[in-house]
Amino acid sequence: MISVHIENGAAFVRHATMPKPKPGFVLIRLRAAGICNTDIELLRGYCGFRGRPGHEFVGDVAGPADSAWLGKRVVGEINLACGACEWCARGLGRHCPTRTVLGIVRHPGAFAEFLTLPESNLHEVPRQVSDEHAIFTEPIAAACEILDQVKIAKGAAVAVLGDGKLGLLVAQVLACRGASVHLFGHHPKKLRIAALAGCETSASGNLPQARFDVTVEATGAAEGLSSAISMTRPRGVVVMKTTVHEPVPLNTAQAVVNEISLIGSRCGRFEPALRLLKSGRLRLDEMISAEYALEQAPEAFAKAQEKGVLKVLIRPGA
Amino acid sequence: MISVHIENGAAFVRHATMPKPKPGFVLIRLRAAGICNTDIELLRGYCGFRGRPGHEFVGDVAGPADSAWLGKRVVGEINLACGACEWCARGLGRHCPTRTVLGIVRHPGAFAEFLTLPESNLHEVPRQVSDEHAIFTEPIAAACEILDQVKIAKGAAVAVLGDGKLGLLVAQVLACRGASVHLFGHHPKKLRIAALAGCETSASGNLPQARFDVTVEATGAAEGLSSAISMTRPRGVVVMKTTVHEPVPLNTAQAVVNEISLIGSRCGRFEPALRLLKSGRLRLDEMISAEYALEQAPEAFAKAQEKGVLKVLIRPGA
């Protein structure tokens, strides 16, 4: 089968052997996949990654023949947990200390004609949700995770800092929950998507001070966190979505004096994401910048790194 | 009256005019005061401070003659709030944006024979509580603030990082609440106080990783926060008590991936602190290192800056 391999900063298209699902796993035939910023970081060598990336996907279960999932169109949670530890018992396999992660940590990713995942990771995609929208399930779940971590009242003043893919999804998800969302970013085109979704938007040059109940930092840059703290009211919450791999210089005194909470936030549950997708309330078509065949993966990765580009799709076959 | 003045890194004893309480304020005759690390920072020039420090005190209300507080032995909350803004309406005058702060921000402090405070800041000291213990009310309230911000279950694994005055009080307060507290510090003598109060203790050389539900960072040093994050379990809480006035280099990726919450924590309510003091359950006598007359304030400040010294008391008259 055709698959994508990353090594030494470059993406290659390769022929690979078909994966064989272990007991409890299924074989999934890829329908579509999306390139995430994490994939770009992996390409650039984050954690010395070498292998097959891809964790945003939708596909059809193609085996084993006796699986109850056979033939179903599915998305899948990316953390492969042990199922036995205390985290797994609490439904938090996302924090299982021995987990592998699809396309990121020791489990081959979705950028291939076929992939495998445990049945327990699967969610059937409602028929109302297109393949193009289904690939957003994982990042929407990451946005929904905020709602599991922070109480956000209807009408709460929420700032989202950063108009990249995650920032745009976070802004839309929180606006759907009734928050009064203000997105700050650099790209008029991207800000317009949030405006269509009912958010206030501003260029991030001149940020207000101590104004917001909750600020979500999704800039992807080290400097974002200090700005987020400054924008947040005393006793407010800063949600940290950016993972930079360098020490971030932080004015902690401001956070201590104003008793601000900084909450690390990563992956989320798929259920609320699929409910939102089914509702059709998110502006996602505007967030798809380009589409490539699996064989064009190197071009797709190049495109995904261009300025102003949002989601790049990959599809097998042509 | 005799008062203490700080300017250009030095403490002076001065004669000052008696303060006149504004309407709603009382005049308090000092019984005893304590030197806090913040006072030492003010001495060293934090925020360009120049004036009369002191915010940990106990005293007798000496006027006006028609005050219902006259003759009572009191401690006082240090934030002087406007009483009218939304923060004040929520009982959070500690975050009132126009507040002044006793001995810190534009209100002369307690290191003098007399001071003034609004009646609304006062709390009567229970007769069971000595003057020497009463001066701990404010820092104990700062420790109790953690209980208002974070749910700490009975038996929860709590680490306190730093065996200074605040670390020792935090460890004791959380142990009284039923948490399983482990204090990490550098000074065998100080660790022994926490051990007497029922805490486990260790030298802070070799810190455990991802072990604690809650870690309180009270080292007073910039490097403490990264250690605190490493010691905390996924989805755990780090309470930030240190206010350093330089950017703190932070590995935010670890906090994001493990979804750790960092909670800024400052002053607290006096009620739970006074209840704890009245209970007699805290080891405070061991935390008093020295006592000076108000006239010896420069010596008292020098002593408070010596290594291994805990609370230094100041008393008017001799």
Side-chain angles (χ1 to χ4, degrees), chain A residues 264-303:
Chain A
S265 181
R266 191 172 42 108
C267 303
R269 296 181 298 121
F270 273 31
E271 293 85 348
L274 285 167
R275 276 197 299 274
L276 257 176
L277 276 167
K278 191 174 163 189
S279 78
R281 296 173 65 194
L282 303 175
R283 314 286 309 207
L284 299 174
D285 293 332
E286 293 87 346
M287 287 184 61
I288 299 173
S289 296
E291 205 182 305
Y292 290 87
L294 198 52
E295 291 83 350
Q296 298 169 295
E299 291 87 342
F301 266 95
K303 181 73 180 177

Coordinates of all heavy atoms in Angstrom, one line a residue, chain A residues 264-303:
Chain A
G264 N -3.4 23.9 31.4 CA -3.0 23.2 30.3 C -4.1 22.3 29.7 O -4.8 21.7 30.4
S265 N -4.2 22.4 28.3 CA -5.3 21.7 27.7 C -4.9 21.1 26.4 O -4.2 21.7 25.6 CB -6.4 22.8 27.4 OG -7.5 22.2 26.8
R266 N -5.2 19.8 26.2 CA -4.7 19.0 25.1 C -5.8 18.4 24.3 O -6.7 19.0 23.8 CB -3.6 18.0 25.5 CG -2.8 17.4 24.5 CD -1.7 16.5 25.0 NE -2.1 15.7 26.2 CZ -2.3 14.4 26.1 NH1 -2.0 13.7 25.0 NH2 -2.7 13.7 27.2
C267 N -5.8 17.0 24.3 CA -6.9 16.3 23.5 C -8.2 16.2 24.3 O -8.2 16.4 25.5 CB -6.4 14.9 23.3 SG -4.9 14.7 22.4
G268 N -9.3 16.0 23.5 CA -10.6 15.9 24.2 C -11.4 14.7 23.8 O -10.9 14.0 22.9
R269 N -12.5 14.6 24.4 CA -13.5 13.5 24.0 C -14.1 13.7 22.6 O -14.3 14.9 22.2 CB -14.6 13.4 25.0 CG -14.1 13.0 26.4 CD -15.2 12.9 27.4 NE -15.9 14.2 27.6 CZ -17.2 14.4 27.3 NH1 -18.0 13.4 26.9 NH2 -17.7 15.6 27.5
F270 N -14.3 12.7 21.9 CA -14.9 12.8 20.5 C -16.4 13.1 20.5 O -16.9 13.7 19.6 CB -14.5 11.6 19.7 CG -13.2 11.7 19.0 CD1 -12.1 12.3 19.5 CD2 -13.0 11.0 17.7 CE1 -10.9 12.4 18.9 CE2 -11.8 11.1 17.1 CZ -10.7 11.8 17.7
E271 N -17.1 12.6 21.6 CA -18.5 12.7 21.5 C -19.1 14.1 21.3 O -19.9 14.3 20.4 CB -19.1 12.1 22.8 CG -19.0 10.6 23.0 CD -17.6 10.2 23.6 OE1 -16.7 11.1 23.8 OE2 -17.5 9.0 24.0
P272 N -18.6 15.1 22.2 CA -19.2 16.4 21.9 C -18.8 17.0 20.6 O -19.5 17.8 20.0 CB -18.6 17.3 23.1 CG -17.5 16.4 23.7 CD -17.8 15.0 23.3
A273 N -17.6 16.6 20.1 CA -17.1 17.1 18.8 C -18.1 16.6 17.7 O -18.5 17.3 16.8 CB -15.7 16.6 18.5
L274 N -18.4 15.3 17.8 CA -19.3 14.7 16.7 C -20.7 15.3 16.8 O -21.3 15.5 15.8 CB -19.3 13.2 16.9 CG -18.0 12.5 16.4 CD1 -18.0 11.0 16.8 CD2 -17.9 12.6 14.8
R275 N -21.2 15.6 18.0 CA -22.5 16.2 18.2 C -22.5 17.6 17.5 O -23.4 18.0 16.8 CB -22.8 16.4 19.6 CG -23.5 15.1 20.2 CD -24.2 15.5 21.6 NE -23.3 16.0 22.6 CZ -22.6 15.2 23.4 NH1 -22.7 13.9 23.3 NH2 -21.8 15.7 24.4
L276 N -21.4 18.4 17.7 CA -21.3 19.7 17.1 C -21.2 19.6 15.6 O -21.8 20.4 14.9 CB -20.0 20.4 17.6 CG -20.2 21.5 18.7 CD1 -18.9 22.0 19.1 CD2 -21.1 22.6 18.1
L277 N -20.4 18.6 15.1 CA -20.3 18.4 13.6 C -21.7 18.1 13.0 O -22.0 18.7 12.0 CB -19.3 17.3 13.3 CG -17.8 17.7 13.3 CD1 -16.9 16.5 13.3 CD2 -17.5 18.6 12.1
K278 N -22.4 17.3 13.7 CA -23.7 16.9 13.2 C -24.7 18.1 13.2 O -25.5 18.2 12.3 CB -24.3 15.7 14.2 CG -25.5 15.0 13.6 CD -25.9 13.9 14.6 CE -27.3 13.4 14.3 NZ -27.7 12.5 15.3
S279 N -24.5 19.0 14.1 CA -25.4 20.1 14.2 C -25.2 21.1 13.0 O -26.0 21.9 12.7 CB -25.1 20.9 15.5 OG -23.9 21.7 15.4
G280 N -24.1 20.9 12.3 CA -23.8 21.8 11.2 C -23.5 23.3 11.5 O -23.6 24.1 10.6
R281 N -23.3 23.6 12.8 CA -23.1 25.0 13.2 C -21.7 25.5 13.0 O -21.5 26.7 13.2 CB -23.5 25.1 14.6 CG -25.0 24.8 14.9 CD -25.4 24.8 16.4 NE -25.2 26.1 17.0 CZ -25.2 26.3 18.3 NH1 -25.2 25.3 19.1 NH2 -25.0 27.6 18.7
L282 N -20.8 24.7 12.6 CA -19.4 25.2 12.5 C -19.1 25.6 11.1 O -19.5 24.9 10.1 CB -18.4 24.2 13.0 CG -18.6 23.7 14.5 CD1 -17.6 22.6 14.8 CD2 -18.4 24.9 15.4
R283 N -18.3 26.7 10.9 CA -17.9 27.1 9.5 C -16.6 26.3 9.2 O -15.5 26.7 9.7 CB -17.6 28.6 9.5 CG -18.7 29.5 10.1 CD -19.9 29.6 9.3 NE -19.7 29.9 7.9 CZ -20.6 30.6 7.1 NH1 -21.8 31.0 7.7 NH2 -20.4 30.8 5.9
L284 N -16.7 25.2 8.5 CA -15.5 24.4 8.2 C -15.0 24.5 6.8 O -13.8 24.4 6.5 CB -15.8 22.9 8.6 CG -16.1 22.8 10.1 CD1 -16.5 21.3 10.4 CD2 -14.9 23.2 11.0
D285 N -16.0 24.6 5.9 CA -15.6 24.7 4.4 C -14.6 25.8 4.2 O -13.6 25.6 3.5 CB -16.9 24.9 3.6 CG -17.8 23.7 3.6 OD1 -17.4 22.6 3.8 OD2 -19.0 24.0 3.4
E286 N -14.8 26.9 4.9 CA -13.9 28.0 4.7 C -12.5 27.7 5.2 O -11.5 28.4 5.0 CB -14.4 29.3 5.4 CG -15.7 29.8 4.8 CD -17.0 29.2 5.3 OE1 -16.9 28.1 6.0 OE2 -18.1 29.7 5.1
M287 N -12.4 26.7 6.1 CA -11.1 26.4 6.7 C -10.3 25.4 5.9 O -9.2 25.0 6.3 CB -11.4 25.8 8.1 CG -11.8 26.9 9.1 SD -11.9 26.3 10.8 CE -10.3 25.8 11.1
I288 N -10.8 24.9 4.8 CA -10.1 23.9 4.0 C -9.4 24.7 2.9 O -10.0 25.3 2.0 CB -11.0 22.8 3.4 CG1 -11.7 22.1 4.6 CG2 -10.2 21.9 2.5 CD1 -12.7 21.1 4.2
S289 N -8.1 24.7 2.9 CA -7.3 25.5 2.0 C -6.9 24.8 0.7 O -6.8 25.4 -0.4 CB -6.0 26.0 2.6 OG -6.3 26.9 3.7
A290 N -6.7 23.5 0.8 CA -6.3 22.7 -0.4 C -6.4 21.2 -0.2 O -6.7 20.8 1.0 CB -4.8 23.0 -0.7
E291 N -6.4 20.4 -1.2 CA -6.6 19.0 -1.2 C -5.6 18.3 -2.1 O -5.3 18.8 -3.2 CB -8.0 18.7 -1.7 CG -8.6 17.5 -1.2 CD -10.0 17.2 -1.7 OE1 -10.9 18.1 -1.6 OE2 -10.2 16.1 -2.3
Y292 N -5.0 17.2 -1.6 CA -3.9 16.5 -2.4 C -4.2 15.0 -2.3 O -4.8 14.5 -1.4 CB -2.6 16.8 -1.8 CG -2.1 18.2 -2.0 CD1 -2.4 19.2 -1.1 CD2 -1.3 18.5 -3.1 CE1 -2.0 20.5 -1.3 CE2 -0.9 19.9 -3.4 CZ -1.2 20.8 -2.5 OH -0.8 22.1 -2.7
A293 N -3.7 14.3 -3.3 CA -3.7 12.8 -3.3 C -2.6 12.4 -2.3 O -1.6 13.1 -2.1 CB -3.5 12.2 -4.7
L294 N -2.7 11.2 -1.8 CA -1.7 10.7 -0.9 C -0.4 10.7 -1.5 O 0.7 10.9 -0.9 CB -2.2 9.2 -0.5 CG -1.6 8.5 0.7 CD1 -1.7 9.3 1.9 CD2 -2.3 7.2 0.9
E295 N -0.3 10.4 -2.9 CA 0.9 10.3 -3.6 C 1.6 11.7 -3.6 O 2.8 11.8 -3.9 CB 0.7 9.9 -5.0 CG 0.3 8.4 -5.2 CD -1.2 8.2 -4.9 OE1 -1.9 9.1 -4.5 OE2 -1.7 7.0 -5.2
Q296 N 0.8 12.8 -3.4 CA 1.4 14.1 -3.4 C 1.7 14.6 -2.0 O 1.7 15.9 -1.8 CB 0.3 15.1 -4.1 CG 0.0 14.8 -5.5 CD -1.2 15.6 -6.0 OE1 -2.3 15.5 -5.4 NE2 -1.0 16.5 -6.9
A297 N 1.9 13.7 -1.1 CA 2.1 14.2 0.3 C 3.2 15.2 0.4 O 3.0 16.2 1.2 CB 2.4 13.0 1.2
P298 N 4.3 15.1 -0.2 CA 5.4 16.1 -0.1 C 4.8 17.5 -0.5 O 5.1 18.5 0.2 CB 6.5 15.7 -1.0 CG 6.3 14.2 -1.1 CD 4.8 14.0 -1.1
E299 N 4.1 17.6 -1.6 CA 3.5 18.9 -2.0 C 2.5 19.3 -0.9 O 2.4 20.5 -0.6 CB 2.8 18.7 -3.3 CG 3.7 18.5 -4.5 CD 4.0 17.1 -4.8 OE1 3.9 16.2 -3.8 OE2 4.5 16.8 -5.9
A300 N 1.7 18.4 -0.4 CA 0.7 18.7 0.6 C 1.4 19.4 1.9 O 0.9 20.4 2.4 CB -0.1 17.5 1.0
F301 N 2.5 18.7 2.3 CA 3.2 19.3 3.5 C 3.8 20.7 3.2 O 3.8 21.5 4.0 CB 4.4 18.3 3.9 CG 3.9 17.4 5.0 CD1 3.5 16.1 4.6 CD2 4.0 17.7 6.3 CE1 3.1 15.2 5.6 CE2 3.6 16.8 7.3 CZ 3.1 15.6 7.0
A302 N 4.3 20.8 1.9 CA 4.8 22.2 1.5 C 3.7 23.2 1.6 O 3.9 24.3 2.2 CB 5.4 22.1 0.1
K303 N 2.6 22.8 1.1 CA 1.4 23.8 1.1 C 1.0 24.1 2.5 O 0.8 25.3 2.8 CB 0.2 23.1 0.3 CG -1.0 24.0 0.2 CD -0.8 25.1 -0.8 CE -2.0 26.0 -0.9 NZ -1.8 27.1 -1.8

